[in-house]
Amino acid sequence: MTSLARAARSASLRPSTCKLSLGLAPRSRGFHVAASVRRSFLSSLLQTAKSNNPITSQWYGQPTHETHPELVSPAEVTHGIAKSEYEARRQKLVRDMPAGSTVVLFSSRMYFVSPHVFHGFRQDTDFFYLTGWNEPDSVAVIEKSATAGRGYTMVMFVNPKDPKKEVWEGPRNGIEAAVSLFGADEARPVAELRKYAAKLTGRLQDRKSRDGACIFADLDTEHGLLRSKECDAFRDQLKRDNLGSLIRRLSPLVQQLRLIKSSAEIQLMREAGRISALGFGQLMQRCRPGLSESTLQAVFEHATQMALVSQHEDGSVVDRSALSRPAYVPVFASGEHAL
């Protein structure tokens, strides 16, 4: 039996597939970016970084319009999903929360096979749904605010550009892109989260008595999912400040948002169905007695991957599909193992 769904390509290009793209950028430790000053100054920084690196044509940690215009349009953060749609998701999320409430999102961790060899990365579903950011060890803090133009402010804590690490791990988006591309009001190195968390909990103490503010976050390890290591530090901070009673589960609220799909999401789902159907067709043609389950799984995965490739009349090929990886591991079983 096989089960496959495809996920957006913008959520798929992690280090193992971007390794030849070196993300060199000016040193950004301690560099805070405000939305009001970002465009011209940041553009000059990034252009300088790009021009000083003749080897690399891609210097973000995931496809962007600048690096992959055939996949991501100028208005999109990830393929098929516009920046305005990500913003609308965040607005809907905070709309019914008590005044002054805070959402804290933690990315997934990177898992290693051995000290220097990593598994393929898959972002935390809720983190990606609300930000489009596809890197590990990242945190997004969304605070409901009546004075903010869009009803909230968002601060992202991410890994700064680090040329030496990016040679091996692949390019990073960097602090500047969190503001200019992903819609954060401010971005900081993830190492500064603990200092920021101490100030945040102080503000929450005041809001608790005044507005009934809550903290919406998933700090557990449900279904064995280990979130960013920064999650543990934040949880410890809440315990030290006796704010455990303010914590509310975030995941149920995000799941409610995802019940009704947008037209853009429906289009991606239809493409996923088309590719999966092609994979099943190839599998049924190749299936025969004597083939192992692992071999049939390889046939199916190869067929769905090749379904992403288009071939022109002149024989040239191009890989421009929005989808590029399974959303979950296919399940193959035969004989007495079958369900």
Side-chain angles (χ1 to χ4, degrees):
M1 183 181 77
T2 60
S3 301
L4 183 87
R6 308 294 296 187
R9 182 182 201 83
S10 51
S12 65
L13 295 186
R14 283 305 307 147
S16 59
T17 56
C18 297
K19 187 174 171 187
L20 295 181
S21 300
L22 316 183
L24 305 182
R27 195 168 184 174
S28 53
R29 184 174 300 278
F31 182 54
H32 298 178
V33 183
S36 60
V37 298
R38 68 192 180 206
R39 185 60 64 184
S40 60
F41 179 57
L42 295 179
S43 177
S44 65
L45 284 177
L46 294 173
Q47 290 298 332
T48 300
K50 187 177 181 182
S51 62
N52 287 340
N53 181 11
I55 301 175
T56 302
S57 60
Q58 178 175 325
W59 37 275
Y60 290 111
Q62 62 194 83
T64 67
H65 173 66
E66 184 168 352
T67 61
H68 293 75
E70 74 281 6
L71 292 177
V72 184
S73 75
E76 293 174 345
V77 173
T78 58
H79 180 93
I81 306 296
K83 189 172 185 177
S84 60
E85 183 160 336
Y86 281 106
E87 183 170 312
R89 292 171 179 177
R90 296 190 289 265
Q91 288 175 326
K92 290 178 182 177
L93 178 68
V94 303
R95 184 175 301 158
D96 297 327
M97 291 180 177
S101 291
T102 298
V103 173
V104 185
L105 291 155
F106 299 93
S107 73
S108 297
R109 293 180 177 180
M110 180 66 78
Y111 293 92
F112 288 82
V113 181
S114 63
H116 301 291
V117 180
F118 35 73
H119 285 286
F121 176 75
R122 188 189 189 285
Q123 185 59 283
D124 176 81
T125 300
D126 293 347
F127 194 95
F128 190 78
Y129 180 78
L130 292 169
T131 67
W133 185 269
N134 192 40
E135 293 188 11
D137 300 323
S138 305
V139 180
V141 179
I142 302 171
E143 295 187 67
K144 183 172 183 176
S145 171
T147 60
R150 49 186 183 174
Y152 69 89
T153 60
M154 181 168 73
V155 181
M156 292 186 68
F157 296 85
V158 303
N159 283 314
K161 302 290 286 184
D162 187 329
K164 291 183 179 179
K165 288 187 177 181
E166 290 176 76
V167 168
W168 176 249
E169 296 177 359
R172 295 176 176 178
N173 291 325
I175 294 174
E176 297 85 355
V179 173
S180 61
L181 296 181
F182 293 86
D185 296 284
E186 186 179 357
R188 304 175 180 227
V190 71
E192 295 188 11
L193 176 64
R194 298 190 185 195
K195 184 192 304 182
Y196 183 90
K199 296 179 180 179
L200 175 63
T201 54
R203 294 199 300 270
L204 287 169
Q205 288 279 21
D206 296 335
R207 297 173 188 169
K208 174 184 178 182
S209 57
R210 187 177 67 248
D211 303 317
C214 298
I215 303 169
F216 292 87
D218 293 314
L219 303 176
D220 58 6
T221 55
E222 184 181 15
H223 305 306
L225 176 63
L226 294 177
R227 294 180 174 84
S228 167
K229 59 186 178 182
E230 303 301 333
C231 179
D232 300 332
F234 185 76
R235 181 171 50 222
D236 293 341
Q237 181 73 49
L238 293 174
K239 289 180 179 179
R240 284 194 298 271
D241 294 341
N242 297 315
L243 291 173
S245 62
L246 297 184
I247 300 175
R248 304 290 184 271
R249 288 290 308 280
L250 173 63
S251 184
L253 299 183
V254 180
Q255 291 172 11
Q256 282 293 120
L257 291 180
R258 297 177 63 190
L259 283 177
I260 300 177
K261 304 300 183 185
S262 68
S263 57
E265 290 173 309
I266 292 172
Q267 185 173 347
L268 290 175
M269 292 170 70
R270 285 174 173 161
E271 175 69 357
R274 182 190 70 82
I275 292 173
S276 296
L278 290 173
F280 278 110
Q282 287 291 315
L283 180 65
M284 288 186 282
Q285 290 180 26
R286 305 277 300 271
C287 184
R288 62 179 63 87
L291 290 180
S292 69
E293 295 162 359
S294 59
T295 298
L296 292 175
Q297 178 176 340
V299 169
F300 184 67
E301 291 178 335
H302 177 263
T304 54
Q305 191 67 36
M306 292 306 297
L308 307 173
V309 179
S310 301
Q311 183 167 348
H312 297 307
E313 293 182 358
D314 61 2
S316 61
V317 296
V318 61
D319 186 354
R320 291 185 176 178
S321 174
L323 314 174
S324 68
R325 66 161 175 80
Y328 50 89
V329 178
V331 179
F332 279 76
S334 61
E336 61 183 12
H337 298 148
L339 296 178

